[in-house]
Amino acid sequence: MRLKCLGCEALARMVYLCAAKSPHIVNVELFGLGLHNTPSNLRARLQERIDAATGQKYDAIVMAYGLCGQATEGLTAREIPLVIPRAHDCITLFLGGRERYKDQFENHPGTFWYALDYIERRDDSATVLSLGADAGVSIHEAYDGFVEKYGKENADYLMEAMGAWQEHYKRAAFIDMGIGDGTAVEKAAKKESKRRGWAFDRIEGDLVLVQRLLDGDWESDFLVLEPGQQIAMTYDDDVIGCHVSGEDGV
Amino acid sequence: MSKLLEQIAVCTERGKVNKDAPYPPDMKGEDGVDELTARALADGVNPNDVLTQGLMVGMNRVGVKFSNNEVFVPDLLMAAKAMKVGMRQLTPHFESGAAQRKGAIVIGTVKGDLHDIGKNLVGMVMEGGGWEVIDLGVDTSAEQFLEAVEGHPGAAVALSALLTTTMANMEQIVKTIKEKITSTRVLVGGAPLTQEFCDKIGADAYAPDPQGALEYLEAAAS
């Protein structure tokens, strides 16, 4: 098969490695982390590239993405199938399965995740990994502006009110994918956990989902959209389903 | 008299807490909600009028502007800060019955979700709308919601979720609450939610912003 992979740069090393090992011909195109900040922009960009793959002799387009704060909801397959893992976000792809993520999520809801590609590729405008919120990093940068506009006491109050969610976090987890040198990122995660009084965990990642995505092994854990079908959120353990544009039902 | 209440409304809307507050700059040195509320109460203004014609009016104006994207989160938070200073002075009057709230609402983020800024903004606007807000915080179970409703008979419940991962928990909580106390009105909100999802899980209302939640409660109560 000839596959076109559209993927998030948070998964860069994983996608490149798995593409290299795939029995198929895979062309990879990565997209910036900052696009997550405005899901509608990310969706528009991805649809534009899906559309552009039409007539390029690909057999399928594979998405190295999850639902990602609904950024992929509404994407439509054109003339060839569109394949996407049943995942809320990249943490599922790092951990290698929905069940493993669910287990982590239920037992450690207040986890701040660290992974090599995500940390080294993020810029100031990038969203906080796995949060689905844009209220994290950018707030700290807003502080000086708040002081100027509202005065120091009010700025402190606004910071506290807008950053309060961080108080509920209890753990930093570094996911080691075993690709590249993650030492510096692991060290940074440890340092941050110490500073904030969080627990620290080092978790072994699992490439299986990304490898299966690029190997064409889509039997389970993936949604294969036929031409004309659209990605829809299912609000259950399946995470996503599909419907034909303009019709109900998943 | 009504001029004083209008001043309270303006100071609430603009986030002018007290005389010393540097914000907003064009009101520097002027009295804020703190001084004005104290003066109104000292002058014998009905505490309920201070609430309904002063603080609530200001919060309503800022809430509507927030819905229309005319002002943003920091502005709403500043208004809430000013409103709370006035509310603090009204506390003894709530206790004596001289000032009355419209009803109670229990709020919290659902089990597994720790992101509370949206829920907090809703709480502030509800409080500013004259409702008693029982805030259960984050990571709230169906049992905790039920217990709070049992303690405040007739209270509505508002659930918030920010993550697609926690939306599924919302359904379970709505079902449990509706099963145990069938008359409870349940509102849902949060970035990934839609009216379609609200209908699917059997909640009574979906609100896209704090003002929408308040308006639903007002309509349901009248």
Side-chain angles (χ1 to χ4, degrees):
Chain A
M1 278 196 292
R2 277 173 57 88
L3 301 176
K4 170 84 182 191
C5 173
L6 305 179
C8 178
E9 63 175 346
L11 307 162
R13 280 184 168 78
M14 297 161 65
V15 169
Y16 285 133
L17 180 74
C18 295
K21 288 162 71 176
S22 168
H24 306 296
I25 298 166
V26 186
N27 286 341
V28 173
E29 184 173 346
L30 297 183
F31 298 84
L33 284 163
L35 284 167
H36 280 82
N37 282 351
T38 316
S40 56
N41 287 354
L42 176 55
R43 187 182 307 124
R45 182 101 181 90
L46 291 173
Q47 188 65 59
E48 184 189 307
R49 298 308 295 158
I50 290 167
D51 296 353
T54 302
Q56 302 295 308
K57 296 184 179 155
Y58 289 112
D59 295 294
I61 297 171
V62 297
M63 308 288 297
Y65 273 99
L67 185 56
C68 301
Q70 291 162 300
T72 56
E73 189 177 43
L75 288 178
T76 307
R78 301 300 187 196
E79 290 177 359
I80 50 173
L82 182 70
V83 185
I84 182 165
R86 294 185 184 277
H88 280 283
D89 51 46
C90 54
I91 310 297
T92 301
L93 301 178
F94 287 131
L95 295 175
R98 276 176 284 169
E99 292 73 22
R100 203 169 164 213
Y101 182 31
K102 201 175 176 196
D103 182 54
Q104 285 286 335
F105 196 85
E106 282 173 3
N107 292 308
H108 308 276
T111 298
F112 213 94
W113 297 95
Y114 292 80
L116 175 56
D117 293 288
Y118 170 73
I119 299 295
E120 67 184 1
R121 284 170 178 262
R122 70 191 265 184
D123 55 31
D124 291 342
S125 63
T127 192
V128 178
L129 187 61
S130 82
L131 267 182
D134 59 0
V137 183
S138 55
I139 286 181
H140 292 282
E141 283 138 26
Y143 182 69
D144 292 344
F146 284 165
V147 172
E148 199 177 310
K149 185 170 177 190
Y150 300 98
K152 189 174 179 311
E153 192 213 329
N154 286 330
D156 289 338
Y157 155 74
L158 292 172
M159 289 294 288
E160 199 190 320
M162 295 170 80
W165 58 270
Q166 294 182 344
E167 302 303 313
H168 306 303
Y169 274 63
K170 292 189 172 62
R171 179 178 77 146
F174 168 67
I175 309 177
D176 184 10
M177 297 309 303
I179 321 169
D181 183 2
T183 319
V185 174
E186 183 172 357
K187 213 183 248 178
K190 263 187 198 160
K191 198 175 154 193
E192 188 66 4
S193 67
K194 211 168 183 181
R195 190 177 75 79
R196 292 176 178 270
W198 294 341
F200 172 81
D201 276 338
R202 183 175 181 284
I203 296 174
E204 294 282 320
D206 191 335
L207 285 167
V208 64
L209 271 184
V210 175
Q211 191 64 65
R212 286 181 53 205
L213 176 74
L214 296 166
D215 282 357
D217 175 10
W218 306 321
E219 273 301 306
S220 58
D221 299 316
F222 298 88
L223 174 69
V224 181
L225 292 112
E226 296 304 326
Q229 289 182 327
Q230 207 170 28
I231 298 173
M233 191 173 171
T234 57
Y235 316 114
D236 60 19
D237 286 346
D238 279 347
V239 185
I240 46 173
C242 58
H243 59 76
V244 178
S245 284
E247 279 181 24
D248 284 339
V250 172
Chain B
M1 190 103 76
S2 64
K3 194 180 162 222
L4 186 55
L5 293 175
E6 172 58 21
Q7 277 179 298
I8 292 175
V10 169
C11 288
T12 304
E13 180 190 350
R14 304 276 325 270
K16 176 69 176 170
V17 179
N18 57 33
K19 194 168 186 169
D20 293 338
Y23 181 81
D26 62 303
M27 295 175 85
K28 211 166 183 176
E30 292 175 24
D31 285 341
V33 171
D34 201 19
E35 291 83 9
L36 296 168
T37 305
R39 191 182 314 148
L41 293 173
D43 287 355
V45 177
N46 183 334
N48 211 44
D49 292 345
V50 175
L51 175 68
T52 58
Q53 295 173 40
L55 301 170
M56 276 169 56
V57 171
M59 278 305 283
N60 185 60
R61 286 179 194 158
V62 78
V64 169
K65 285 185 176 172
F66 183 75
S67 284
N68 295 335
N69 288 324
E70 291 169 41
V71 299
F72 302 97
V73 171
D75 307 294
L76 190 55
L77 287 169
M78 286 307 300
K81 188 181 181 192
M83 177 267 292
K84 278 178 189 282
V85 165
M87 284 289 183
R88 209 172 300 141
Q89 295 190 42
L90 291 181
T91 306
H93 301 284
F94 286 127
E95 283 160 9
S96 73
Q100 284 189 343
R101 291 198 167 96
K102 295 174 182 167
I105 178 141
V106 176
I107 63 172
T109 74
V110 297
K111 195 85 199 140
D113 212 315
L114 307 178
H115 307 95
D116 57 2
I117 182 164
K119 180 267 295 171
N120 293 342
L121 292 173
V122 170
M124 289 168 189
V125 168
M126 297 279 190
E127 191 183 349
W131 292 77
E132 182 186 3
V133 177
I134 298 111
D135 187 348
L136 301 182
V138 298
D139 193 20
T140 314
S141 66
E143 291 69 31
Q144 287 170 294
F145 280 112
L146 275 174
E147 200 178 309
V149 176
E150 278 160 10
H152 298 83
V157 173
L159 311 175
S160 155
L162 180 72
L163 306 178
T164 55
T165 28
T166 53
M167 281 170 71
N169 295 342
M170 219 169 217
E171 181 167 15
Q172 185 53 42
I173 292 173
V174 172
K175 282 198 173 128
T176 309
I177 293 172
K178 289 279 185 188
E179 260 168 40
K180 296 276 166 66
I181 309 175
T182 45
S183 60
T184 309
R185 281 198 188 85
V186 183
L187 289 85
V188 292
L193 271 78
T194 58
Q195 182 63 49
E196 182 197 356
F197 177 69
C198 165
D199 296 341
K200 182 180 173 284
I201 66 171
D204 294 295
Y206 158 72
D209 55 50
Q211 196 66 21
L214 181 65
E215 281 164 13
Y216 168 77
L217 275 190
E218 311 265 293
S222 64

